[in-house]
Amino acid sequence: MNETDDHTRHDARARVDALIAVDRPAQARATARTALDTGGPDAGLLLALARAHMAEDDDDHDDAAERVFREGLEAFPDDTGLLAGYAELCARTDPLDRPGRHARGPALLARLRERAPNAPELSRTEAAKGSVSLTSKNPVSVRRVQSYDTARAFTEAPTPQAAAARAALAAAAAPHDRRLAVLAETTAALAAPGRTWARLLLRRGLEYRFAVGVVVAALVVVRVTVLPTIPYGVATGVGLLLGLPFLGLRRALRAARERAAERIVAATVEDVPGDDGAGPAELPPVPRVTRREYAFAGAGLALLLIVGGTAYASSLAYPRYEIVAHDTFRGLQGFDLRAEFDPFGSVPDGDKDGSTARVYVAGDAAPDAAAEYLVAVTTGDFHEMRESSVDDGSGLLPDTAGIGTVHDSWRAGPGPYGGWMRCLRYTETATGTLRAMCLWADKGSLGMALFTAADKNREAVEDTARSIGTEFLRPAEN
């Protein structure tokens, strides 16, 4: 084999690698196969062809890559590149999907250790099972490799500008290496003035995300324990606002990847000389999960359990009441109405046995006389109750359109034991009596009181409703 053939094969391998780097695996395979058909078997071209199949990240192409590796190792049984590539393919194979291929990995690694114990391919292959695949089309994996390399570069360099300069030199030495090109473009972009915050997010993104989670969790805990009137949207909005800086960082990373692809295409078209295949030292494998990530994942899970436990405890912490159903009330005779009228009978989570609905009239009143009071109360677990439920009824009351002519309606202060209350004044259609009605609710009770209100202003109506509520409801002792 003469020097011209070697140069031709080297150019073909470089072009195949470049095509793989710019996501053109089909062209890469065609180029490699043409070179093999023209010049005959070559270990480097066979390795390039196999990697072009692996770049598809597809089961059928992985099968084709294995056939190429076997073909290559039959012709070049001691080639470290082919051994390492085949062992890496086996290591990344799902043992449930292709158990035979996965099982061949240890034997290939043993052969590689025997023939090249100090080869860089060996360490890369041994780490393949627990590292991110560089041929994966998964955008999450692509971003992970980019973020890992860039954060490592900034951490190891004395200044951001020094990191960018080192990455530029490494990419220039290997113009067809996609990972180095992405690193060079990313460090150059983030080393620019005004990108301190972006570099901090890249290197300390886990800490920042955890801090955001703590803030959102604290808001949720406050919401479910102390300030139930605050909507959950506040916590969601704060979380989204604090997450906005990551959008800018993601745009910068995506733009760097696009520039790197253009750079590799230009290097391929120009056929840049000097890429002799050696280049700089290879970048280390990118672990799928680091210890820091495990630690923060555990802390995040603990935070989630705290928030969930707090919310669950809050749901169990609603106030308990006992109902006092008076047979007589303020000198008036009471009659049970639940058989004919039970306004809270269909309320979800209510205690059907812990409720009452009574009307009170004078003992000597005429049969058609207007009742002085109508009182209905129920107890239960109403921890999801909101002020809006009282304001609009939300199924708490039957249709009251026919009760009479409403003159005034307002949002009152709290009910007998807190919560919310709404009152209205109206003229009863059947008797022409001026009445008032107040509906209150808290986390453990619902109540409604109707009574005559000929000379009562708003404050007096509210006070009357609260006094009625405290006489029919008592906080439970246990």
Side-chain angles (χ1 to χ4, degrees):
M1 186 179 298
N2 57 41
E3 185 176 344
T4 302
D5 291 336
D6 288 341
H7 183 70
T8 301
R9 293 172 184 276
H10 173 268
D11 287 347
R13 289 197 298 269
R15 183 167 291 276
V16 171
D17 290 340
L19 289 169
I20 294 174
V22 294
D23 287 329
R24 299 178 184 174
Q27 289 181 250
R29 292 192 297 275
T31 301
R33 185 55 71 183
T34 298
L36 286 168
D37 292 341
T38 302
D42 176 77
L45 280 173
L46 288 166
L47 175 60
L49 176 59
R51 291 201 178 280
H53 280 292
M54 292 170 63
E56 296 285 0
D57 199 21
D58 173 82
D59 288 343
D60 291 338
H61 280 282
D62 284 349
D63 293 341
E66 183 174 22
R67 290 193 293 270
V68 173
F69 279 127
R70 288 186 171 186
E71 176 187 344
L73 287 173
E74 285 180 5
F76 309 96
D78 296 327
D79 185 80
T80 57
L82 288 170
L83 283 171
Y86 193 9
E88 182 177 344
L89 173 66
C90 294
R92 294 188 188 280
T93 298
D94 187 342
L96 297 179
D97 188 33
R98 296 288 195 280
R101 181 192 302 158
H102 182 80
R104 285 188 283 276
L108 291 166
L109 273 176
R111 288 175 60 186
L112 185 59
R113 284 194 202 96
E114 180 183 349
R115 287 161 176 75
N118 299 318
E121 295 92 344
L122 178 60
S123 59
R124 184 184 65 191
T125 304
E126 289 177 331
K129 188 174 183 180
S131 62
V132 175
S133 173
L134 301 182
T135 62
S136 174
K137 291 187 175 182
N138 186 344
V140 176
S141 297
V142 172
R143 289 194 300 268
R144 179 174 179 82
V145 172
Q146 181 184 17
S147 301
Y148 179 88
D149 288 343
T150 308
R152 178 175 172 272
F154 283 132
T155 300
E156 294 180 350
T159 65
Q161 291 72 28
R166 291 178 182 177
L169 288 174
H176 296 144
D177 190 307
R178 180 180 186 179
R179 190 175 172 189
L180 289 174
V182 170
L183 176 61
E185 292 294 341
T186 309
T187 51
L190 298 186
R195 291 299 183 96
T196 304
W197 185 242
R199 293 194 298 271
L200 180 63
L201 285 179
L202 189 68
R203 296 173 59 188
R204 293 289 180 261
L206 284 174
E207 290 86 342
Y208 183 83
R209 287 185 176 91
F210 184 73
V212 171
V214 170
V215 171
V216 173
L219 290 175
V220 172
V221 169
V222 170
R223 161 65 180 78
V224 300
T225 58
V226 181
L227 300 173
T229 58
I230 295 179
Y232 282 108
V234 172
T236 303
V238 169
L240 292 175
L241 183 64
L242 293 176
L244 285 178
F246 281 106
L247 295 179
L249 176 61
R250 179 166 290 191
R251 283 197 297 269
L253 296 179
R254 182 173 61 248
R257 293 195 299 271
E258 292 171 354
R259 290 193 301 272
E262 295 172 359
R263 177 176 181 161
I264 295 172
V265 171
T268 303
V269 172
E270 296 171 4
D271 195 19
V272 176
D275 182 11
D276 58 2
E282 287 191 2
L283 293 172
V286 179
R288 293 180 183 175
V289 185
T290 64
R291 291 183 179 180
R292 286 178 64 247
E293 287 173 319
Y294 275 122
F296 277 99
L301 179 60
L303 191 64
L304 183 63
L305 291 175
I306 290 173
V307 173
T310 302
Y312 179 71
S314 176
S315 71
L316 300 179
Y318 64 91
R320 269 72 167 180
Y321 299 103
E322 294 177 349
I323 293 178
V324 181
H326 300 279
D327 292 329
T328 60
F329 180 64
R330 298 181 181 180
L332 303 173
Q333 183 65 40
F335 298 93
D336 194 337
L337 288 180
R338 280 182 295 177
E340 297 83 13
F341 176 72
D342 186 1
F344 303 125
S346 61
V347 173
D349 302 318
D351 183 358
K352 301 301 185 292
D353 296 327
S355 65
T356 189
R358 289 180 174 254
V359 64
Y360 294 90
V361 298
D364 56 355
D368 58 349
E372 292 293 327
Y373 297 96
L374 189 155
V375 182
V377 291
T378 190
T379 60
D381 176 3
F382 306 124
H383 68 272
E384 292 293 338
M385 186 66 65
R386 301 290 181 270
E387 186 174 11
S388 59
S389 302
V390 180
D391 285 343
D392 60 18
S394 292
L396 301 182
L397 288 175
D399 183 16
T400 56
I403 63 173
T405 303
V406 177
H407 306 295
D408 192 12
S409 176
W410 70 95
R411 179 184 295 176
Y417 297 102
W420 310 275
M421 185 166 69
R422 187 168 189 84
C423 297
L424 59 86
R425 286 183 293 202
Y426 65 97
T427 299
E428 192 174 57
T429 302
T431 63
T433 304
L434 182 63
R435 290 185 177 278
M437 179 178 73
C438 290
L439 171 70
W440 73 81
D442 58 35
K443 301 295 184 178
S445 72
L446 299 173
M448 181 183 70
L450 284 76
F451 47 89
T452 57
D455 300 318
K456 294 182 183 292
N457 57 25
R458 285 187 172 187
E459 184 177 354
V461 168
E462 294 178 25
D463 289 342
T464 299
R466 291 190 190 96
S467 67
I468 293 173
T470 55
E471 293 193 50
F472 278 77
L473 283 172
R474 297 283 190 275
E477 295 182 0
N478 297 319

